[in-house]
Amino acid sequence: MNDRAAVLFVCLGNICRSPLAEAALRAEAARAGFEVTVDSAGTAGWHVGRPPDRRARATARRHEVDIDGHRARRVDVDDFHRFDHVVALDRDNLAALAALRPAGAKARLSLLFDHVVGREGEEVADPYHGPDEGFETTWAEVCEGARGLVRAIRGG
Ligand code: 4NP
């Protein structure tokens, strides 16, 4: 069993979905007594250096996790060597990552929902342009994905 897996979540801006996914995996791994290295990044650079969206921070706080200290960064070619799993939140970002992935890199690329039985291929919708309530859906989805990912990594 690989209990020191390194996982990178990637969305577009790294201010909404992937910081929540990072927090959800950390919480789920702690509950499962499972050690994991986890980080997040974006494929776009618009928000680099900024904290997560205030709606994402508020949602995290409601679920007793804190993402205030996160600062957005852009995914880098080195990430494909540093992480075992690079996990995209949607298909556009998966395609961007596939184009960036260097030959011979160790990272396995997947969609978050590929780790949830029955939801393979589905996307975590971008809540950025939608209503505040969308962030609760995002949180529920990244938690579902995190549970599936912990199971997949422990079993793999
Ligand atoms: P994220 O959401 O990819 O989940 O962090 C977005 C954040 C910002 C923008 C789009 C999506 N934006 O257009 O600035």
Side-chain angles (χ1 to χ4, degrees):
M1 184 175 85
N2 177 7
D3 61 356
R4 296 290 308 184
V7 179
L8 179 71
F9 292 108
V10 180
C11 62
L12 184 61
N14 192 214
I15 57 169
C16 298
R17 292 166 292 176
S18 62
L20 287 173
E22 179 187 342
L25 180 61
R26 210 169 263 133
E28 188 56 34
R31 256 193 300 278
F34 178 73
E35 293 198 52
V36 68
T37 299
V38 56
D39 195 8
S40 65
T43 56
W46 311 312
H47 301 281
V48 168
R50 299 214 191 113
D53 184 284
R54 63 171 177 75
R55 299 164 295 174
R57 285 188 277 133
T59 302
R61 223 172 291 124
R62 275 196 299 278
H63 294 279
E64 293 168 354
V65 297
D66 185 348
I67 61 170
D68 290 1
H70 180 74
R71 293 295 175 267
R73 73 172 180 90
R74 198 167 188 181
V75 69
D76 186 80
V77 168
D78 281 351
D79 288 322
F80 294 90
H81 298 293
R82 291 174 49 220
F83 291 90
D84 303 297
H85 299 271
V86 173
V87 182
L89 278 287
D90 64 31
R91 286 189 287 270
D92 280 352
N93 286 302
L94 182 66
L97 290 165
L100 196 63
R101 186 182 187 277
K106 73 171 177 178
R108 287 194 211 166
L109 264 181
S110 60
L111 271 177
L112 180 60
F113 270 134
D114 287 346
H115 303 284
V116 178
V117 174
R119 298 199 72 173
E120 297 90 345
E122 290 187 32
E123 304 186 295
V124 175
D126 180 357
Y128 184 71
H129 297 287
D132 288 12
E133 307 84 77
F135 283 76
E136 278 299 323
T137 304
T138 304
W139 177 252
E141 291 185 344
V142 298
C143 286
E144 195 180 353
R147 284 191 293 274
L149 199 48
V150 165
R151 269 195 298 272
I153 294 169
R154 296 190 93 163

